[in-house]
Amino acid sequence: MKTNNFLGRDWIDAELDFSKEEWETLIDIGLELKKLHALKQDQTHILKGKTLFTMFFNRSLRTRSTFATGIQQLGGFHVSLEPGKTYTPTTKGYDIPYKTERISDVAMILDRVGDAIAIRMYGEPTYWIYGFANQTMKEFAKYAEIPIINMEGDKYHPTQALADMITIKEKFGTFKGIKLTMSWAYSGSIAKPRAVPQSTILAATKMGMDVTLAYPEGFELDTKVIEHCRKFANENNGSFKTTNDFNEGFKDAHVVYPKSWGPVSCFSYVDKSGKVIKKYDHEKARKLNESNKSWITTKKQMEIIHKDGIYMHCLPADRGQEVTDEVIDGKNSVIIDEAENRLHAHKAIMAMIMGGRL
Ligand code: CP
């Protein structure tokens, strides 16, 4: 009998922790589950009786609805543990009497009760300290044997990246020779993490695509992520480059993925003891953002992409700021397929790490 190497593993830094072959397996399973769902085949034997706990510290439509629906379609249950309605799980140094509860206690209790814990956390609940959410998820993982699923943190959004890879495979049938451009885009909101762009470029270079990262100065991504992208591109016969030119990124691209993210140069910082030594500089962030209003995707940009090129966005998109209605509702846009694929991607992840019988 073939062993399921995925069983019990955490899906937190998934682009780094899961191999190219494992990503390919999950992409194939996601596509297969999608096909079976379209044929109305029953899938409730896969995770029969298993329980998924979700904790959303931030808003969500797609992730929330697709995890809840996905576990139900696989025969399991979903329990929503909303911070504010439970005692907010917290780490040492952030305790508030009768409002918070130590992560160690929460994780060990949920481990005895259910089968996986899925967490979304970034921005305000992390005091805008880059890496805080990622550490929080890893603290859950330290105390719970059951898998921890990252539903978007401050570093990575790997469930989105898997759905995006499924969408690209569906549209082009291959990753080889496919040119993807992840681009910064203007938005009236700067309260956005770097998780989507970082996960997208990591997953795309892991799959061997030709990846370009385009952004205006001041919106750089994590240097460690960039190092990993160069390594993945070398290992998988793809390529990786960066540019500060919006149009250069779009030229001849098969996939354009223009989306806003906040300037990390303005984020909060802590010292080694965890004490905040620099607070989020909202004014600097706002000025930097407003000086790049021209980074909006219009019909003109779409005319220079590859003739079979597609427009992707994780959503929600800021219409009229990141992108015009004409583009996001246009013939090249695959946003609704991409959002639907969150369901199939999440089912593939849950089926494999929660011990499903496929
Ligand atoms: N893309 C994404 O994660 O959507 P939600 O914020 O609606 O979950």
Side-chain angles (χ1 to χ4, degrees):
M1 198 177 81
K2 201 163 177 265
T3 315
N4 175 0
N5 293 327
F6 293 78
L7 199 59
R9 286 170 68 186
D10 298 313
W11 181 266
I12 301 175
D13 297 349
E15 294 86 355
L16 307 180
D17 296 343
F18 286 73
S19 68
K20 179 175 192 267
E21 292 68 32
E22 288 169 337
W23 272 74
E24 283 167 347
T25 300
L26 289 168
I27 291 165
D28 290 345
I29 291 172
L31 286 168
E32 188 60 25
L33 289 171
K34 182 173 184 174
K35 205 187 304 168
L36 295 175
H37 184 64
L39 294 170
K40 303 207 182 316
Q41 293 225 0
D42 184 71
Q43 299 172 4
T44 55
H45 61 286
I46 296 175
L47 288 178
K48 194 171 174 56
K50 303 251 181 185
T51 304
L52 172 76
F53 298 111
T54 59
M55 288 181 198
F56 284 92
F57 290 82
N58 309 82
R59 286 186 291 266
S60 168
L61 169 72
R62 282 142 288 270
T63 313
R64 185 191 297 274
S65 59
T66 52
F67 265 106
T69 307
I71 186 82
Q72 191 181 332
Q73 288 181 4
L74 297 175
F77 301 92
H78 161 244
V79 178
S80 168
L81 300 173
E82 295 295 317
K85 290 190 183 156
T86 64
Y87 308 97
T88 306
T90 199
T91 197
K92 191 174 177 183
Y94 293 87
D95 310 285
I96 305 170
Y98 209 43
K99 278 199 175 157
T100 62
E101 187 164 4
R102 282 286 170 88
I103 289 170
S104 49
D105 294 345
V106 178
M108 285 190 286
I109 291 162
L110 296 181
D111 180 72
R112 297 271 181 101
V113 180
D115 302 283
I117 305 168
I119 303 166
R120 164 169 289 196
M121 186 192 237
Y122 56 79
E124 290 295 335
T126 67
Y127 316 97
W128 286 106
I129 298 165
Y130 181 65
F132 187 102
N134 192 264
Q135 275 309 314
T136 299
M137 292 179 201
K138 286 177 182 166
E139 198 171 338
F140 269 94
K142 185 175 160 192
Y143 292 101
E145 289 286 314
I146 57 175
I148 306 302
I149 300 173
N150 173 0
M151 298 193 295
E152 187 171 9
D154 43 13
K155 286 189 169 183
Y156 309 117
H157 194 353
T159 65
Q160 176 73 52
L162 183 64
D164 292 342
M165 294 306 115
I166 288 174
T167 307
I168 293 167
K169 181 83 186 285
E170 211 172 26
K171 301 296 174 192
F172 295 100
T174 181
F175 296 108
K176 191 81 212 129
I178 300 298
K179 186 181 167 195
L180 176 144
T181 294
M182 181 80 230
S183 174
W184 185 84
Y186 169 75
S187 160
S189 161
I190 46 163
K192 290 181 181 164
R194 299 186 291 174
V196 170
Q198 296 194 157
S199 278
T200 306
I201 59 173
L202 284 168
T205 49
K206 180 156 262 194
M207 302 322 295
M209 296 170 74
D210 295 314
V211 179
T212 300
L213 173 68
Y215 58 89
E217 276 179 40
F219 290 90
E220 290 75 17
L221 297 184
D222 189 327
T223 50
K224 287 207 171 65
V225 169
I226 301 298
E227 278 167 28
H228 276 293
C229 287
R230 294 195 202 291
K231 181 171 162 284
F232 288 164
N234 276 337
E235 285 170 0
N236 300 306
N237 301 316
S239 62
F240 179 73
K241 66 172 185 181
T242 63
T243 176
N244 295 134
D245 184 329
F246 193 39
N247 286 332
E248 186 191 326
F250 275 65
K251 198 161 179 331
D252 299 327
H254 295 95
V255 180
V256 286
Y257 202 138
K259 123 141 221 33
S260 72
W261 62 83
V264 79
S265 57
C266 306
F267 280 22
S268 309
Y269 283 98
V270 289
D271 65 14
K272 280 186 183 150
S273 70
K275 191 167 157 242
V276 177
I277 50 171
K278 177 180 165 292
K279 284 206 163 157
Y280 192 101
D281 190 339
H282 289 272
E283 189 49 28
K284 185 178 164 198
R286 194 190 60 74
K287 277 194 186 143
L288 201 50
N289 196 49
E290 293 303 310
S291 63
N292 289 292
K293 272 188 159 172
S294 61
W295 287 61
I296 173 172
T297 303
T298 63
K299 194 164 167 267
K300 195 162 152 267
Q301 264 81 39
M302 294 305 285
E303 281 165 3
I304 62 171
I305 72 169
H306 189 275
K307 67 177 175 45
D308 301 322
I310 58 174
Y311 168 90
M312 294 181 74
H313 196 293
C314 57
L315 302 179
D318 296 318
R319 288 168 178 252
Q321 296 182 333
E322 291 182 292
V323 60
T324 62
D325 283 344
E326 192 179 22
V327 171
I328 199 166
D329 297 329
K331 66 178 172 50
N332 306 91
S333 174
V334 299
I335 55 161
I336 304 301
D337 291 338
E338 186 183 357
E340 181 201 328
N341 285 337
R342 299 294 302 284
L343 173 67
H344 313 296
H346 301 170
K347 285 169 68 179
I349 296 163
M350 288 190 288
M352 293 305 279
I353 68 176
M354 291 170 72
R357 291 182 299 116
L358 297 178

